[in-house]
Amino acid sequence: MKKPKNVAMIGAGIAGIAAALRLRKQGLEVTVFEANEKLGGKMAEVIGNGFRFDRGPTVLTKPEYVEELFSLFGKSASDYWKHKPVDPIFKYFFEDGTVINSSRNREQFADEIAEKTADSKESIFKFLDDVEKTHHLTDEVFLQRSLHQFKNYLDWPTARGILNFGKVDVFRSMNTANQKRFKDQKVIDIFNRYASYNGSNPYWAPATLNVIAHYEITLGTYFSEGGIYTIIDALKKLAIEQGITFRSNTPVKEIIYSGNTVTGVRTDSGQEPFDVVVSNIDVYNTYKQLLPEFKAPKRFLEQPRSSSVIVFYWGIQREFPELGLHNMFLTDDAKAEYQHLFELNKPYHDPTIHMTISSKMNASDAPAGCENWAALISVPHDSGQDWDEWIAEARKNVLAKLSRILNTDVEKLIVFEDILDPRKVNVETNAAFGAVFGNASNSMFSAFLRHPNFSPKIENLFFCGGTAHPGPGIPLCLLSAKIASELIAEKFVSRQSK
Ligand SMILES: Cc1cc2nc3c(=O)[nH]c(=O)nc-3n(C[C@H](O)[C@H](O)[C@H](O)COP(=O)(O)OP(=O)(O)OC[C@H]3O[C@@H](n4cnc5c(N)ncnc54)[C@H](O)[C@@H]3O)c2cc1C
């Protein structure tokens, strides 16, 4: 088969832009179709009344995956984008007045735990060592390559991963594992809450997901100077320099195929021929909206959905020296909170609040003497609930909790407000059911039930982004872009040599 000449990328989320760059590096002509005016999808920002907020992600890990995209073209990432380490990482606030700082410095973090909880320094060292081992056993097999290609099961890294399946703690839940490890409920709650990073439930999700703590604490958390959107700006600049075409305000309406091979896409301007199509949009909506006549693979599409979010973006006319960049106000009953989210399908009255204040690192994000609070709570995905009522309720509960813990009437300090909810996540980024993270990772088979980075049925159709393998979050989206572009390279190079 001849090498493809042109590729249509549907969606300019982080994975779409990254995959476009990688395909451009292979010498292909790449056109990126984006439904919105601005690129970046969930990595958007909110600006108003002198405040700037990151609308979506705020916790940045594995920045080297972003840097790698610049090195592909012989460029230095630092000429385009600046970032720096964050330490302390999180400040955890409990209702009884305890405040625990997590730190990349193991000694310091372990000291903090030993001083403020019933757990020992050794329990933290052991936990961090164990999740590091999990990382080494899972990274290459489960994250760096396709899980859906037979040949990938025949080599040593995969064989080793499979032989060590039991060692990566897949057979018990995060909560069961953490209950065994730690004595203090505060410590258990701190580590259990990493399940929320991909919209899952720590009482169901396999303990393998404790590995997320390794990314955040040991490998480290970073701050993107000027906000997370500067990553998108930097990648866009690089992409335009490399000759990638972006078509904003141009939603793709249909993927065109003939027989079982992709032939192009249709927008409002008509059909356009492409040799390869890559979908960076929600996998569910790729099938439902863009391939309406095609029999969708139920196995991948009918998995339980991740949770979603309500985020309050508040301009606050005061500074709080006791707060940091990342603050977590924990619920008093995590079990009840997750039961509400995943079984009762409604928000909990005492929610865990992740509050990011980027003005702590980026002074221009708030006027002098003010702070920009992005207060995020987990909520169920959208299944037609009365969100207006629930937002009002959540606002009351979040304000009451923050006011209680900070000993101040927070509502009186709000001078700017914007709100994100599951309906808006859907409208703004075309996320099915407003589920921020696609499928939940609540079973030990979840990794295998995410959609592959290629279509098993339609030739030359590929997938990248948070709803495809290996999953959501900036680092995994960047890996999905890498895997999809490698599959495209492999397919055409091997076909050519036959
Ligand atoms: C509130 C929030 C907090 C988060 N926190 C973190 C965090 O701290 N750390 C982290 O790593 N991750 C976090 N995430 C997750 C992370 O943001 C996502 O996993 C990631 O950005 C998804 O990128 P993507 O490539 O899948 O594309 P998306 O961001 O989903 O973008 C898809 C793009 O496709 C476009 N599109 C849709 N349909 C069409 C169409 N028919 N034609 C053309 N274009 C179309 C959309 O407009 C959109 O721009 C968070 C997400 C949210 C919402």
Side-chain angles (χ1 to χ4, degrees), residues 9-17 33-36 38-43 54-61 197 228 247 250-254 280-282 285 289-290 309 311 313 326 354 376 420 425 427-431 436-437 464-468 471-477 480:
M9 178 67 59
I10 309 175
I14 181 86
I17 303 173
F33 294 88
E34 169 53 52
N36 292 336
K38 290 194 89 175
L39 313 185
K42 297 184 178 74
M43 291 171 68
D54 291 315
R55 189 158 187 74
T58 55
V59 179
L60 175 66
T61 52
Y197 278 25
I228 213 91
R247 306 237 314 248
T250 312
V252 168
K253 296 295 172 76
E254 194 180 351
N280 169 226
I281 76 166
D282 191 295
N285 284 341
Q289 299 170 354
L290 308 186
V309 291
V311 190
Y313 307 93
H326 291 296
H354 172 188
L376 177 153
L420 181 65
V425 174
V427 168
E428 291 175 9
T429 67
N430 198 12
V436 168
F437 306 102
C464 65
T467 59
I474 297 168
L476 298 198
C477 283
S480 77

Side-chain angles (χ1 to χ4, degrees), residues 241-293:
E241 284 169 8
Q242 298 307 321
I244 292 171
T245 305
F246 287 98
R247 306 237 314 248
S248 287
N249 295 316
T250 312
V252 168
K253 296 295 172 76
E254 194 180 351
I255 294 171
I256 312 294
Y257 58 99
S258 165
N260 67 344
T261 305
V262 147
T263 55
V265 297
R266 182 174 62 76
T267 67
D268 282 336
S269 318
Q271 285 193 19
E272 297 183 39
F274 285 96
D275 300 313
V276 169
V277 172
V278 184
S279 176
N280 169 226
I281 76 166
D282 191 295
V283 166
Y284 183 92
N285 284 341
T286 302
Y287 285 100
K288 296 288 170 190
Q289 299 170 354
L290 308 186
L291 289 163
E293 308 295 329

